[in-house]
Amino acid sequence: MHGIYNFITGPLAWVSWSIFILGILYRLANITLSAKKRDGVVLNYFNLKYALRSILHWMIPFGSVNMRKHPIMTIVSFSFHISLLVAPIFLLAHVILWEEFFGISFWTIPDKVADIMTVVVIAGCLFFAVRRIIIKEVKFVTSPSDYLLLVLVASPFVFGFLAYHQWFDYQLMLILHILSGEILLALIPFTRLVHMVFAPLVRAYTGSEFGGVRHARDW
Amino acid sequence: MNKETSNKSREIVDEGLIAGVRKLTPARIEKVINQVLKKETGARLEAYINTCVHCGLCSEACHYFLSHDRDPVYSPVGKVKQTIWEILKHKGKVSTGTILKAARIAYTECNLCKRCSMYCPFGIDIAYMISIMRRICHRLGVTPQYIQDTAHSHSATMNQMWVKDDEWIDSLQWQEDEARDEIPNLRIPLEKEGADVLYSVIGPEPKFRTQLIYQAAVIMNEAGVDWTMPATPGWDNSDMAMFTGDYELMGRLKRLHFETAMRLKVKRIVMGECGHAYRSVYDTGNRWLGWKDMPIPIIHAVQFYWELLNEGKLKVAKKFEEPVTFHDPCNIVRGMGLHEKAREVVKAFCKDFVEMYPNREHNYCCCAGGGVINCGPPFKMTRITGNRIKAEQLKATGVKVVIAPCHNCHGGLDDIIHHYGLGMELKFLGDIIYECMEKPNAV
């Protein structure tokens, strides 16, 4: 057990973080080059003011018409994404790791809050899965990969939750938590989870076209 | 099951599509698809495909989806699934049946109105993806017969309606003659070099909506505008090639249109009340030609009326009495943000203005645009059943007059109004202005 722990927090962590960071840089470089070479309009019509206007507007809960048409989805989606980012970054245990390994220390959130956020993420994944089954227009465009993505995202949170509360075998849960987290990180650049970095780009371009060229709102 | 029944009821015989797929071979399908995907698409398609999380939230935007009781085959992402996802998944190795179905969806079940871009949380341009499908179908020679005929007309005559060069001039002189009964000093100046304004229209105006040229001439004359029309091909600003996916032809059309204005050394182009043509000159055609902006300023009739009104050149003689509502055409509202200017003009000329809901950028499409109405009689019911929601929206206003400053919208709304028995009358903004403006030179 100890050997596995050392391996996944040592070499494997380096590997997964490297794939995550390099993978994202690769995708960003690739898409920028592709825009330059074969999709000139994207860079030519880019407009910072309207790009930011669109991005900021869509970050406001209930700011757009469609968010108001789907209030439950809006609440779940916002709390899910906020929790998904905030909990792992500002969790005390994670910050301690940063400090131990690299001497970097930053702000943390109380464990109680992190705990609730973890539940929000897991519940969010369940909500999205149920939505895929019961709403027919979502079901129609759902493939097995969509469920896999949800499992991929939920796993580190599920095992993290179990480890924190020391349910089942603590060490096993911890190892599964770390391992699933590393798999998630490494897969982000190469699955539709890449929307984490592409979403602002798409929004920026759409915002530029709507605001800068078409003089219309896009929300 | 839902999916199968809708697929069956959607099967439509179109000579152009059938003849097109008959000539296809698996090798050709694969080659053309990969040529288009590899050479003509780039960052946008990659980002859109990889960003879409299949959440289905775009569905809410689509009039086809809403009109078909939320049938998933009509949701924007559902249509992408049946077209672009399908060819990407199989890397172009798809059957003729898939191409036939994809062509039907891309050409007749999406108006490229871009409303769904405002409902997607990422702002993915779904209409762009449907356009790629159309581009592939065009390159494969699988296009609906009627719209392909208009594209042939564009190619042969540089106008959409097979109008011959002398017929064009004849039509203008005929309207000038007619209008001189009302306004003796009225002229439709042809080939006037250095005029302030070149007025361009779409093919259907000389063909069967000639009174619009009459009315435009009256407005120009009475507002004291220094204007001209060209006597040569290049007078037609319309563009069905943009909608069939024939971008080479689109480029030829736009180049001739702009070059005609430049030959006449006019200060700018004003175009009639047409939406798709505005998209073609302002958004699509110019880009294909590599012009980031227009080589010569071009404005839509709505903006022109608004300017004339604000400059005091256009004066209101009487208000239009009946209550009116206003339909926001996608190409000049989501495409140019002219909704407030249009309302200012409507309110200046009409006594009682009633909004329809939703409106402005969120207005429901007419279901005729994007070339769908140009796919002709085989798809008439596709448009009508696909836009029940529009009929309900119009009915809810309780008024009997709808103003729509777009030719396609007129065609689409007209069919909906008749089919659903709404008993409404359709007007162009020019109709209202012509009726209610001051005409100092009239006898």
Side-chain angles (χ1 to χ4, degrees):
Chain A
M1 236 24 158
H2 216 70
I4 299 174
Y5 180 83
N6 282 338
F7 175 69
I8 58 169
T9 53
L12 203 59
W14 281 100
V15 170
S16 79
W17 275 99
S18 307
I19 297 175
F20 172 64
I21 292 165
L22 294 175
I24 281 177
L25 289 176
Y26 166 78
R27 301 262 353 219
L28 285 175
N30 208 35
I31 204 143
T32 313
L33 271 179
S34 161
K36 238 181 182 163
K37 253 195 201 157
R38 287 184 295 152
D39 235 349
V41 292
V42 177
L43 299 174
N44 278 315
Y45 289 93
F46 181 78
N47 182 317
L48 187 66
K49 178 182 154 195
Y50 290 111
L52 290 176
R53 178 182 83 159
S54 183
I55 291 171
L56 292 175
H57 200 97
W58 280 82
M59 283 169 77
I60 303 165
F62 299 102
S64 69
V65 168
N66 208 18
M67 288 184 200
R68 295 194 284 276
K69 281 188 180 284
H70 298 272
I72 299 171
M73 179 66 178
T74 302
I75 292 166
V76 174
S77 187
F78 270 93
S79 43
F80 168 83
H81 282 97
I82 291 167
S83 304
L84 182 73
L85 289 174
V86 170
I89 295 175
F90 298 107
L91 181 80
L92 181 63
H94 287 180
V95 175
I96 290 172
L97 285 175
W98 283 102
E99 206 168 0
E100 254 175 40
F101 280 86
F102 303 105
I104 307 166
S105 183
F106 47 90
W107 197 72
T108 60
I109 50 167
D111 276 359
K112 191 80 202 154
V113 175
D115 205 33
I116 294 167
M117 286 185 153
T118 305
V119 175
V120 168
V121 171
I122 298 165
C125 285
L126 282 173
F127 173 86
F128 295 141
V130 170
R131 213 178 150 264
R132 292 206 174 280
I133 297 162
I134 62 169
I135 299 180
K136 57 185 181 173
E137 67 265 25
V138 192
K139 189 178 178 186
F140 184 66
V141 292
T142 295
S143 54
S145 67
D146 292 303
Y147 293 110
L148 267 175
L149 287 185
L150 288 177
V151 171
L152 206 59
V153 172
S155 300
F157 290 86
V158 170
F159 293 122
F161 183 81
L162 295 177
Y164 174 73
H165 291 278
Q166 312 220 347
W167 292 353
F168 309 110
D169 181 344
Y170 169 73
Q171 272 201 324
L172 180 65
M173 292 305 122
L174 187 64
I175 284 169
L176 288 173
H177 166 68
I178 298 167
L179 197 60
S180 56
E182 287 170 347
I183 293 170
L184 174 62
L185 273 182
L187 285 178
I188 284 173
F190 309 105
T191 56
R192 282 194 301 283
L193 297 174
V194 78
H195 74 257
M196 182 180 137
V197 285
F198 278 3
L201 302 183
V202 173
R203 193 75 282 146
Y205 170 65
T206 299
S208 299
E209 288 274 13
F210 265 84
V213 179
R214 305 191 179 122
H215 313 290
R217 295 172 305 161
D218 62 340
W219 53 84
Chain B
M1 193 43 219
N2 210 337
K3 186 178 149 193
E4 279 168 24
T5 46
S6 350
N7 268 334
K8 210 160 238 171
S9 66
R10 285 153 82 206
E11 270 170 28
I12 279 151
V13 181
D14 180 276
E15 292 299 327
L17 295 178
I18 304 273
V21 291
R22 270 205 202 109
K23 292 181 202 148
L24 293 178
T25 59
R28 177 156 171 73
I29 294 175
E30 190 186 347
K31 191 179 157 200
V32 167
I33 288 178
N34 286 308
Q35 267 181 356
V36 173
L37 291 180
K38 291 205 176 89
K39 295 202 174 129
E40 298 186 21
T41 71
R44 276 181 292 175
L45 184 63
E46 188 193 337
Y48 295 158
I49 293 294
N50 285 288
T51 306
C52 175
V53 289
H54 312 171
C55 69
L57 285 171
C58 55
S59 311
E60 208 58 54
C62 186
H63 48 285
Y64 282 97
F65 174 79
L66 297 171
S67 300
H68 285 284
D69 301 320
R70 308 183 75 88
D71 186 337
V73 296
Y74 291 104
S75 86
V77 62
K79 288 179 255 190
V80 174
K81 175 195 155 111
Q82 297 168 84
T83 56
I84 293 290
W85 289 3
E86 194 65 19
I87 60 171
L88 285 175
K89 190 167 109 190
H90 300 287
K91 298 192 168 65
K93 289 192 181 74
V94 293
S95 67
T96 50
T98 303
I99 293 296
L100 184 63
K101 184 178 162 194
R104 188 200 65 218
I105 293 169
Y107 285 115
T108 71
E109 292 171 11
C110 171
N111 300 96
L112 310 178
C113 79
K114 299 204 184 205
R115 192 173 191 256
C116 45
S117 283
M118 304 193 307
Y119 286 70
C120 168
F122 303 117
I124 291 173
D125 189 351
I126 296 163
Y128 166 74
M129 289 194 271
I130 298 294
S131 303
I132 294 173
M133 195 63 233
R134 289 187 182 193
R135 172 70 174 160
I136 290 168
C137 290
H138 157 72
R139 294 272 309 267
L140 286 169
V142 182
T143 48
Q145 186 185 25
Y146 279 80
I147 191 170
Q148 187 56 50
D149 180 70
T150 64
H152 287 327
S153 169
H154 274 310
S155 183
T157 66
M158 301 309 272
N159 72 71
Q160 195 198 122
M161 290 269 144
W162 299 103
V163 177
K164 296 192 184 75
D165 294 2
D166 58 332
E167 291 171 346
W168 162 246
I169 298 166
D170 264 7
S171 305
L172 298 182
Q173 291 184 335
W174 164 41
Q175 287 312 305
E176 186 183 70
D177 253 10
E178 294 274 322
R180 283 168 79 98
D181 279 350
E182 187 186 357
I183 296 167
N185 71 353
L186 182 138
R187 295 300 311 271
I188 296 183
L190 286 184
E191 293 290 306
K192 183 181 172 191
E193 254 193 38
D196 286 344
V197 165
L198 176 101
Y199 187 64
S200 67
V201 296
I202 65 169
E205 290 208 16
K207 194 80 178 181
F208 54 80
R209 280 177 180 162
T210 332
Q211 85 282 2
L212 293 177
I213 295 175
Y214 175 119
Q215 288 174 181
V218 169
I219 294 172
M220 293 287 187
N221 209 70
E222 298 308 274
V225 178
D226 174 22
W227 71 301
T228 187
M229 289 182 98
T232 59
W235 55 264
D236 181 359
N237 52 34
S238 76
D239 182 2
M240 278 306 129
M242 160 176 77
F243 288 144
T244 61
D246 189 349
Y247 298 153
E248 290 78 6
L249 179 54
M250 168 176 76
R252 282 175 59 208
L253 296 171
K254 295 307 107 174
R255 181 185 290 279
L256 184 66
H257 179 241
F258 281 118
E259 283 182 353
T260 301
M262 288 189 275
R263 176 175 63 75
L264 289 171
K265 303 184 177 68
V266 294
K267 295 202 178 68
R268 59 178 180 166
I269 306 171
V270 172
M271 45 174 292
E273 292 181 49
C274 179
H276 95 273
Y278 192 77
R279 181 195 195 112
S280 170
V281 297
Y282 182 76
D283 191 337
T284 316
N286 57 315
R287 294 182 182 194
W288 174 263
L289 290 166
W291 300 333
K292 186 177 174 187
D293 296 311
M294 280 36 77
I296 184 165
I298 180 158
I299 63 167
H300 188 268
V302 166
Q303 192 174 340
F304 187 61
Y305 300 149
W306 180 85
E307 282 182 16
L308 293 180
L309 188 68
N310 280 281
E311 288 164 0
K313 291 178 180 164
L314 198 57
K315 292 193 185 75
V316 185
K318 57 165 184 182
K319 291 253 186 177
F320 190 80
E321 290 288 327
E322 265 186 275
V324 300
T325 186
F326 182 77
H327 167 83
D328 294 276
C330 64
N331 287 314
I332 62 163
V333 170
R334 267 192 294 286
M336 185 53 201
L338 291 182
H339 41 281
E340 299 306 340
K341 286 192 170 83
R343 277 169 178 71
E344 283 178 39
V345 177
V346 170
K347 284 172 187 166
F349 283 95
C350 301
K351 211 169 161 185
D352 188 1
F353 168 62
V354 181
E355 283 282 7
M356 60 174 86
Y357 294 94
N359 55 46
R360 296 179 169 84
E361 288 101 329
H362 287 271
N363 185 33
Y364 291 129
C365 176
C366 63
C367 208
V372 178
I373 195 168
N374 306 76
C375 293
F379 300 97
K380 186 178 176 187
M381 288 317 288
T382 306
R383 288 187 287 110
I384 291 171
T385 54
N387 213 359
R388 195 188 66 212
I389 188 98
K390 185 83 218 176
E392 288 162 9
Q393 183 198 22
L394 290 175
K395 199 174 178 187
T397 61
V399 307
K400 292 293 167 201
V401 179
V402 189
I403 302 172
C406 168
H407 280 277
N408 269 338
C409 295
H410 266 243
L413 297 181
D414 200 35
D415 287 334
I416 286 164
I417 287 168
H418 281 125
H419 181 84
Y420 294 99
L422 301 178
M424 294 171 111
E425 193 190 347
L426 267 169
K427 298 228 180 246
F428 284 97
L429 205 42
D431 293 328
I432 300 272
I433 295 173
Y434 167 75
E435 198 181 319
C436 301
M437 68 189 277
E438 263 184 27
K439 292 172 199 157
N441 296 305
V443 287

